[in-house]
Amino acid sequence: MFITAVQPLSFYSGSQYFKPSFEGKKIIDLNYILKNRSDLLPNRIYEKVNEIVSSKSQKMPTLMQLHKEIYAPLMECKTLDEAKKIFPEFAGMKDANDVFVRNSGNIKKLNTNGKLQDNLSLKLLQEVWFNLKSQDEIAHSLGLKGRAGLGWIIKKIGFVNYVNNYRTLLLSSDPVSRAVIAAKTTAWNASHPDLMYQKNKHAAQFCKTLEYRSAQSKRIIEHDKSNPQRIEKIRKFFVEVWDKVPEVKKAMSEFAELQDPFTKMVIKKDMSQIDLNECEMRVKKGFYKKFWQTHPEMREKYKEAFQKVREERKLLNAIKEAES
């Protein structure tokens, strides 16, 4: 699969701004999550949440309870292959023992009696997907200095992760973890009043900006619907951007090949300019968001190309105006 273009909005993900307040009174239940944060949900979780909400059940589990129930079988698996059979979304992952054959660098620290820990790939899946540990916590437990060393390992084995803010959403949906975090946050805030003043001042301004952006985005979408010429102009703009970053397109194509079969199908369908349904649009959005998060260096290259094309367009328009 070779990526030829990306929808403009795929680069800018509103979900990256999701910072739930653990001290707020907003109920983060399944109804709220499906309506406002469905783009953060793994496909398996999304389908179950949608099913539960559609049933209009009076008693619903929390997202944390649902997640733990769905991924509990992962803890019973003895090998990575067994986990792949139960959870096809992990099909693209590699066994660490097959990938790391040389005893060097960070791999040395993971060796026991000169041999790499058994089922390391499976253990990483269990720690992330069921125990919900952060990369810093996992790196520390493995004896690594920090998440950078772990990041190199998980990239090599094609580790399948959820989007960054999904873990935050899980914690905010659970009353127990929410209370613990709220207590820690309150204590920290009380001991750092000056920092909190600056933080709240900045947050208040940022929220206004985000609210404005949301309203502006809706206005632009409505405007585009009645202005096909504008859509074509935008399309040409992004074609120019992508022509400047073939290495990003190549990296995205390779990344797409590591995805589960359903995600691959959605991306191919999108590249063929076939309309996507609501579920497929959510998968597409999640794919692009995940790529930018796991390839920050590519994100920077894309941003540079975006800025360059924009400046070139401005210069061209200025020349045209001067000549007219």
Side-chain angles (χ1 to χ4, degrees):
M1 180 192 300
F2 192 80
I3 303 294
T4 55
V6 177
Q7 295 294 333
L9 293 180
S10 298
F11 181 71
Y12 303 99
S13 174
S15 301
Q16 63 184 302
Y17 301 116
F18 175 54
K19 302 290 182 184
S21 170
F22 291 98
E23 296 179 275
K25 295 182 179 180
K26 182 178 289 184
I27 299 175
I28 313 295
D29 62 9
L30 297 188
N31 283 296
Y32 171 84
I33 290 168
L34 186 63
K35 183 178 179 181
N36 299 283
R37 294 297 161 193
S38 64
D39 59 304
L40 298 180
L41 305 178
N43 291 341
R44 186 181 295 271
I45 299 294
Y46 171 80
E47 291 172 1
K48 192 63 179 178
V49 170
N50 192 38
E51 177 187 323
I52 293 173
V53 171
S54 299
S55 71
K56 301 187 184 301
S57 173
Q58 294 298 311
K59 188 176 181 180
M60 294 186 181
T62 65
L63 181 63
M64 177 71 83
Q65 290 170 335
L66 183 62
H67 178 95
K68 289 283 189 176
E69 178 185 339
I70 288 177
Y71 286 100
L74 189 59
M75 301 305 290
E76 302 299 320
C77 295
K78 303 301 181 185
T79 65
L80 178 63
D81 286 338
E82 189 178 342
K84 289 179 179 181
K85 288 180 182 178
I86 301 175
F87 302 97
E89 57 264 43
F90 303 140
M93 280 187 58
K94 303 171 185 175
D95 192 310
N97 291 85
D98 297 331
V99 175
F100 304 113
V101 293
R102 294 180 61 186
N103 185 23
S104 60
N106 283 318
I107 302 305
K108 270 186 181 180
K109 300 174 183 178
L110 303 182
N111 285 352
T112 303
N113 298 323
K115 183 182 179 183
L116 188 63
Q117 295 181 22
D118 288 335
N119 295 314
L120 178 61
S121 295
L122 173 62
K123 288 175 182 176
L124 290 175
L125 275 178
Q126 293 170 334
E127 291 286 63
V128 171
W129 283 89
F130 186 79
N131 294 326
L132 303 175
K133 289 187 178 180
S134 67
Q135 287 193 28
D136 287 320
E137 291 172 325
I138 296 172
H140 178 73
S141 68
L142 292 175
L144 301 175
K145 286 185 178 180
R147 62 188 301 159
L150 179 64
W152 177 78
I153 292 171
I154 63 178
K155 184 177 181 179
K156 287 290 185 180
I157 64 174
F159 186 81
V160 178
N161 206 346
Y162 39 72
V163 296
N164 288 346
N165 287 323
Y166 177 63
R167 181 171 179 269
T168 305
L169 184 63
L170 279 169
L171 294 174
S172 67
S173 73
D174 180 58
V176 176
S177 57
R178 186 182 177 94
V180 171
I181 295 174
K184 290 181 179 179
T185 302
T186 301
W188 190 93
N189 292 348
S191 60
H192 300 81
D194 294 339
L195 291 176
M196 280 308 300
Y197 173 76
Q198 292 299 326
K199 182 180 178 181
N200 289 337
K201 184 178 179 181
H202 174 74
Q205 186 60 42
F206 180 77
C207 286
K208 291 179 183 177
T209 304
L210 184 57
E211 187 176 276
Y212 170 80
R213 286 177 178 173
S214 178
Q216 180 72 355
S217 177
K218 290 179 181 178
R219 286 194 290 270
I220 290 173
I221 290 173
E222 289 303 315
H223 177 72
D224 287 349
K225 287 180 180 178
S226 57
N227 290 270
Q229 290 182 344
R230 173 177 161 78
I231 294 177
E232 179 59 18
K233 186 177 180 180
I234 291 173
R235 188 193 69 79
K236 288 181 178 179
F237 175 90
F238 281 96
V239 166
E240 285 186 47
V241 174
W242 282 100
D243 283 346
K244 290 183 181 296
V245 284
E247 69 276 25
V248 179
K249 287 196 288 187
K250 184 174 184 296
M252 189 174 282
S253 296
E254 293 172 350
F255 184 74
E257 288 300 330
L258 298 175
Q259 305 308 304
D260 61 87
F262 181 70
T263 299
K264 282 187 186 179
M265 180 276 292
V266 170
I267 299 306
K268 285 182 179 179
K269 188 175 177 181
D270 184 51
M271 290 302 101
S272 301
Q273 298 186 337
I274 299 174
D275 290 340
L276 306 180
N277 59 37
E278 184 179 345
C279 176
E280 291 169 340
M281 285 295 292
R282 188 184 63 82
V283 171
K284 169 192 166 183
K285 184 177 180 181
F287 166 79
Y288 289 125
K289 180 178 179 181
K290 193 187 216 178
F291 173 77
W292 295 125
Q293 288 179 336
T294 54
H295 294 74
E297 74 288 357
M298 295 297 173
R299 184 185 183 93
E300 289 306 311
K301 288 183 179 180
Y302 181 90
K303 286 171 69 175
E304 289 173 8
F306 182 95
Q307 186 64 27
K308 189 171 183 179
V309 172
R310 186 164 63 175
E311 290 172 357
E312 289 173 352
R313 288 289 186 95
K314 283 183 180 179
L315 179 60
L316 182 60
N317 289 335
I319 293 173
K320 286 181 178 179
E321 288 179 7
E323 292 177 342
S324 61

Short mmCIF file of all heavy atoms in Angstrom, two decimals, residues 176-202:
data_model
loop_
_atom_site.label_atom_id
_atom_site.label_comp_id
_atom_site.label_asym_id
_atom_site.label_seq_id
_atom_site.Cartn_x
_atom_site.Cartn_y
_atom_site.Cartn_z
N VAL A 176 -12.64 5.29 41.33
CA VAL A 176 -11.53 5.06 42.27
C VAL A 176 -10.26 5.79 41.81
O VAL A 176 -9.67 6.57 42.55
CB VAL A 176 -11.24 3.55 42.42
CG1 VAL A 176 -10.03 3.33 43.32
CG2 VAL A 176 -12.46 2.84 43.01
N SER A 177 -9.83 5.52 40.57
CA SER A 177 -8.61 6.16 40.07
C SER A 177 -8.81 7.67 39.95
O SER A 177 -7.89 8.45 40.17
CB SER A 177 -8.21 5.57 38.72
OG SER A 177 -9.25 5.69 37.78
N ARG A 178 -10.02 8.08 39.63
CA ARG A 178 -10.34 9.51 39.52
C ARG A 178 -10.15 10.19 40.87
O ARG A 178 -9.58 11.28 40.96
CB ARG A 178 -11.77 9.68 39.03
CG ARG A 178 -12.19 11.12 38.73
CD ARG A 178 -13.65 11.15 38.31
NE ARG A 178 -14.12 12.50 38.07
CZ ARG A 178 -14.13 13.11 36.90
NH1 ARG A 178 -13.66 12.47 35.84
NH2 ARG A 178 -14.57 14.33 36.76
N ALA A 179 -10.62 9.54 41.94
CA ALA A 179 -10.49 10.11 43.28
C ALA A 179 -9.04 10.21 43.72
O ALA A 179 -8.61 11.19 44.32
CB ALA A 179 -11.29 9.27 44.27
N VAL A 180 -8.25 9.17 43.40
CA VAL A 180 -6.84 9.17 43.77
C VAL A 180 -6.09 10.30 43.07
O VAL A 180 -5.33 11.05 43.69
CB VAL A 180 -6.18 7.81 43.41
CG1 VAL A 180 -4.67 7.89 43.60
CG2 VAL A 180 -6.76 6.70 44.29
N ILE A 181 -6.33 10.43 41.77
CA ILE A 181 -5.66 11.47 41.00
C ILE A 181 -6.12 12.85 41.44
O ILE A 181 -5.31 13.79 41.54
CB ILE A 181 -5.92 11.27 39.49
CG1 ILE A 181 -5.27 9.96 39.03
CG2 ILE A 181 -5.37 12.44 38.69
CD1 ILE A 181 -5.57 9.59 37.60
N ALA A 182 -7.41 12.98 41.74
CA ALA A 182 -7.93 14.26 42.20
C ALA A 182 -7.26 14.68 43.51
O ALA A 182 -6.92 15.85 43.71
CB ALA A 182 -9.45 14.18 42.39
N ALA A 183 -7.07 13.73 44.41
CA ALA A 183 -6.43 14.02 45.70
C ALA A 183 -4.98 14.47 45.49
O ALA A 183 -4.51 15.43 46.11
CB ALA A 183 -6.47 12.79 46.60
N LYS A 184 -4.26 13.78 44.61
CA LYS A 184 -2.86 14.15 44.32
C LYS A 184 -2.80 15.52 43.66
O LYS A 184 -1.93 16.33 43.97
CB LYS A 184 -2.23 13.10 43.41
CG LYS A 184 -1.98 11.75 44.09
CD LYS A 184 -1.32 10.78 43.12
CE LYS A 184 -1.04 9.44 43.80
NZ LYS A 184 -0.42 8.47 42.87
N THR A 185 -3.74 15.76 42.74
CA THR A 185 -3.76 17.04 42.04
C THR A 185 -4.05 18.19 43.00
O THR A 185 -3.40 19.24 42.94
CB THR A 185 -4.84 17.02 40.93
OG1 THR A 185 -4.58 15.95 40.03
CG2 THR A 185 -4.86 18.34 40.16
N THR A 186 -5.01 17.97 43.90
CA THR A 186 -5.36 18.99 44.89
C THR A 186 -4.17 19.31 45.78
O THR A 186 -3.88 20.48 46.06
CB THR A 186 -6.55 18.52 45.75
OG1 THR A 186 -7.67 18.26 44.90
CG2 THR A 186 -6.92 19.59 46.77
N ALA A 187 -3.47 18.28 46.22
CA ALA A 187 -2.31 18.48 47.09
C ALA A 187 -1.21 19.25 46.36
O ALA A 187 -0.58 20.15 46.92
CB ALA A 187 -1.78 17.13 47.56
N TRP A 188 -0.97 18.90 45.11
CA TRP A 188 0.07 19.58 44.33
C TRP A 188 -0.31 21.03 44.10
O TRP A 188 0.52 21.93 44.22
CB TRP A 188 0.26 18.87 43.00
CG TRP A 188 1.47 19.34 42.24
CD1 TRP A 188 2.73 18.82 42.27
CD2 TRP A 188 1.53 20.46 41.33
NE1 TRP A 188 3.57 19.52 41.45
CE2 TRP A 188 2.87 20.53 40.86
CE3 TRP A 188 0.60 21.39 40.87
CZ2 TRP A 188 3.28 21.52 39.96
CZ3 TRP A 188 1.01 22.36 39.98
CH2 TRP A 188 2.33 22.43 39.53
N ASN A 189 -1.58 21.27 43.76
CA ASN A 189 -2.04 22.63 43.51
C ASN A 189 -1.87 23.52 44.74
O ASN A 189 -1.48 24.69 44.64
CB ASN A 189 -3.52 22.64 43.09
CG ASN A 189 -3.74 22.01 41.73
OD1 ASN A 189 -2.78 21.77 40.99
ND2 ASN A 189 -4.98 21.73 41.39
N ALA A 190 -2.17 22.94 45.91
CA ALA A 190 -2.09 23.70 47.15
C ALA A 190 -0.65 24.11 47.47
O ALA A 190 -0.41 25.16 48.07
CB ALA A 190 -2.66 22.88 48.30
N SER A 191 0.30 23.30 47.05
CA SER A 191 1.71 23.59 47.36
C SER A 191 2.40 24.40 46.26
O SER A 191 3.57 24.76 46.41
CB SER A 191 2.48 22.27 47.58
OG SER A 191 2.43 21.47 46.42
N HIS A 192 1.69 24.68 45.17
CA HIS A 192 2.28 25.46 44.08
C HIS A 192 1.27 26.53 43.60
O HIS A 192 0.86 26.52 42.44
CB HIS A 192 2.65 24.55 42.89
CG HIS A 192 3.64 23.50 43.22
ND1 HIS A 192 3.29 22.32 43.84
CD2 HIS A 192 4.99 23.45 43.01
CE1 HIS A 192 4.38 21.57 44.00
NE2 HIS A 192 5.41 22.24 43.51
N PRO A 193 0.87 27.46 44.48
CA PRO A 193 -0.17 28.45 44.13
C PRO A 193 0.24 29.36 42.96
O PRO A 193 -0.60 29.68 42.10
CB PRO A 193 -0.34 29.24 45.42
CG PRO A 193 0.94 29.03 46.18
CD PRO A 193 1.34 27.63 45.85
N ASP A 194 1.51 29.78 42.90
CA ASP A 194 1.94 30.68 41.84
C ASP A 194 1.87 30.01 40.47
O ASP A 194 1.42 30.60 39.49
CB ASP A 194 3.38 31.16 42.10
CG ASP A 194 3.47 32.04 43.34
OD1 ASP A 194 2.42 32.58 43.74
OD2 ASP A 194 4.56 32.16 43.90
N LEU A 195 2.34 28.75 40.43
CA LEU A 195 2.30 28.01 39.17
C LEU A 195 0.86 27.76 38.73
O LEU A 195 0.54 27.81 37.54
CB LEU A 195 3.04 26.68 39.32
CG LEU A 195 4.56 26.76 39.47
CD1 LEU A 195 5.14 25.36 39.70
CD2 LEU A 195 5.19 27.40 38.24
N MET A 196 -0.01 27.47 39.70
CA MET A 196 -1.41 27.20 39.37
C MET A 196 -2.10 28.44 38.82
O MET A 196 -2.94 28.35 37.93
CB MET A 196 -2.16 26.69 40.60
CG MET A 196 -1.92 25.22 40.88
SD MET A 196 -2.22 24.19 39.41
CE MET A 196 -3.93 24.55 39.08
N TYR A 197 -1.73 29.61 39.35
CA TYR A 197 -2.32 30.85 38.85
C TYR A 197 -2.00 31.03 37.37
O TYR A 197 -2.87 31.34 36.55
CB TYR A 197 -1.81 32.04 39.66
CG TYR A 197 -2.25 33.38 39.09
CD1 TYR A 197 -3.56 33.84 39.28
CD2 TYR A 197 -1.37 34.15 38.33
CE1 TYR A 197 -3.96 35.05 38.74
CE2 TYR A 197 -1.76 35.35 37.78
CZ TYR A 197 -3.06 35.80 37.98
OH TYR A 197 -3.47 36.99 37.43
N GLN A 198 -0.71 30.84 37.03
CA GLN A 198 -0.30 30.99 35.65
C GLN A 198 -0.94 29.93 34.75
O GLN A 198 -1.36 30.20 33.63
CB GLN A 198 1.23 30.89 35.56
CG GLN A 198 1.96 32.05 36.21
CD GLN A 198 1.64 33.39 35.56
OE1 GLN A 198 1.41 33.46 34.35
NE2 GLN A 198 1.61 34.44 36.37
N LYS A 199 -1.02 28.71 35.28
CA LYS A 199 -1.61 27.61 34.51
C LYS A 199 -3.08 27.87 34.23
O LYS A 199 -3.56 27.67 33.10
CB LYS A 199 -1.44 26.30 35.28
CG LYS A 199 -1.98 25.09 34.55
CD LYS A 199 -1.78 23.83 35.37
CE LYS A 199 -2.37 22.61 34.67
NZ LYS A 199 -2.21 21.38 35.48
N ASN A 200 -3.82 28.30 35.23
CA ASN A 200 -5.25 28.55 35.06
C ASN A 200 -5.51 29.74 34.13
O ASN A 200 -6.46 29.74 33.36
CB ASN A 200 -5.90 28.82 36.42
CG ASN A 200 -5.97 27.58 37.28
OD1 ASN A 200 -5.95 26.47 36.78
ND2 ASN A 200 -6.04 27.75 38.59
N LYS A 201 -4.62 30.72 34.22
CA LYS A 201 -4.76 31.88 33.35
C LYS A 201 -4.58 31.47 31.89
O LYS A 201 -5.33 31.87 31.00
CB LYS A 201 -3.72 32.93 33.74
CG LYS A 201 -3.82 34.23 32.96
CD LYS A 201 -2.77 35.22 33.46
CE LYS A 201 -2.85 36.52 32.65
NZ LYS A 201 -1.83 37.50 33.12
N HIS A 202 -3.56 30.65 31.66
CA HIS A 202 -3.30 30.16 30.31
C HIS A 202 -4.43 29.24 29.83
O HIS A 202 -4.87 29.32 28.67
CB HIS A 202 -1.97 29.40 30.28
CG HIS A 202 -1.69 28.74 28.96
ND1 HIS A 202 -1.30 29.44 27.84
CD2 HIS A 202 -1.76 27.43 28.58
CE1 HIS A 202 -1.14 28.62 26.84
NE2 HIS A 202 -1.40 27.39 27.25
#
